Amino acid sequence: LPPRIAVNLARWLARRKAVSFRYLRAYLLFLLTTFAELFVGFLILRVRYAFLLSLLIAVVDIFPVLGVGTVLIPWAVVLLIRKNFYLGFGLLILYGVVTVLRQIIEPRLVGKSLGLHPLAALIASYAGWRWFGFLGMALGPVVAMAVKALWRGRAAGRAEK
């Protein structure tokens, strides 16, 4: 490879590794945040095995297609049919709280971890989801970061001339 391309490639690979670690850390923080929200909610609702259920549902929440609602909504519907209104409505409220907090936190956290503006991270996630499904949703912000890094590298190369 020409020296200029080799240097840019080496820089990009080093940055990709660092960003991948930060991206993984951001999603681990999502997992812990979701776990904490569910655990506190289950303790308030006096759900048995609150710790284990919170952990299981938080792991399910990592997958964009599944999410917290995959577990909480059917569980709440069954409880409402069985006339356990306290726990049924409590689970629906808990689902709403977790969902709203996730929508607020996710773009900021992903954007900060990748060095992108939160709106750019949100747009990249949505575009990735629309074009490539749930895998694209996770990779969209990473691609946006790569494009940003290439753009900056190109701009830096022009400034050196």
Side-chain angles (χ1 to χ4, degrees):
L1 292 174
R4 182 174 156 226
I5 293 175
V7 168
N8 285 337
L9 183 63
R11 257 191 245 146
W12 184 80
L13 289 174
R15 177 136 170 87
R16 183 186 59 96
K17 184 178 179 183
V19 168
S20 296
F21 175 74
R22 288 193 310 233
Y23 193 64
L24 183 63
R25 189 180 69 200
Y27 273 97
L28 181 61
L29 189 56
F30 287 141
L31 177 97
L32 293 174
T33 303
T34 302
F35 167 78
E37 293 166 0
L38 290 168
F39 186 62
V40 169
F42 287 160
L43 289 178
I44 291 169
L45 295 170
R46 296 187 182 117
V47 173
R48 291 180 64 184
Y49 308 110
F51 182 85
L52 192 58
L53 286 171
S54 300
L55 185 62
L56 178 68
I57 296 170
V59 169
V60 168
D61 186 48
I62 289 175
F63 302 104
V65 174
L66 299 177
V68 173
T70 303
V71 177
L72 292 184
I73 292 174
W75 186 10
V77 168
V78 168
L79 289 170
L80 291 172
I81 290 171
R82 297 174 86 189
K83 297 187 183 190
N84 186 346
F85 297 114
Y86 172 76
L87 189 54
F89 284 121
L91 290 175
L92 290 176
I93 291 169
L94 181 60
Y95 168 70
V97 168
V98 169
T99 301
V100 167
L101 288 175
R102 174 102 181 194
Q103 295 300 320
I104 293 169
I105 293 171
E106 186 171 10
R108 289 185 179 153
L109 200 56
V110 171
K112 185 178 178 184
S113 69
L114 295 179
L116 291 174
H117 188 278
L119 186 58
L122 183 64
I123 291 169
S125 290
Y126 181 73
W129 175 70
R130 293 292 294 172
W131 290 332
F132 303 108
F134 70 89
L135 183 61
M137 185 176 184
L139 294 177
V142 175
V143 170
M145 182 282 312
V147 168
K148 178 182 172 185
L150 289 173
W151 186 264
R152 280 192 175 171
R154 189 173 180 204
R158 287 182 184 168
E160 290 175 5
K161 289 183 180 180

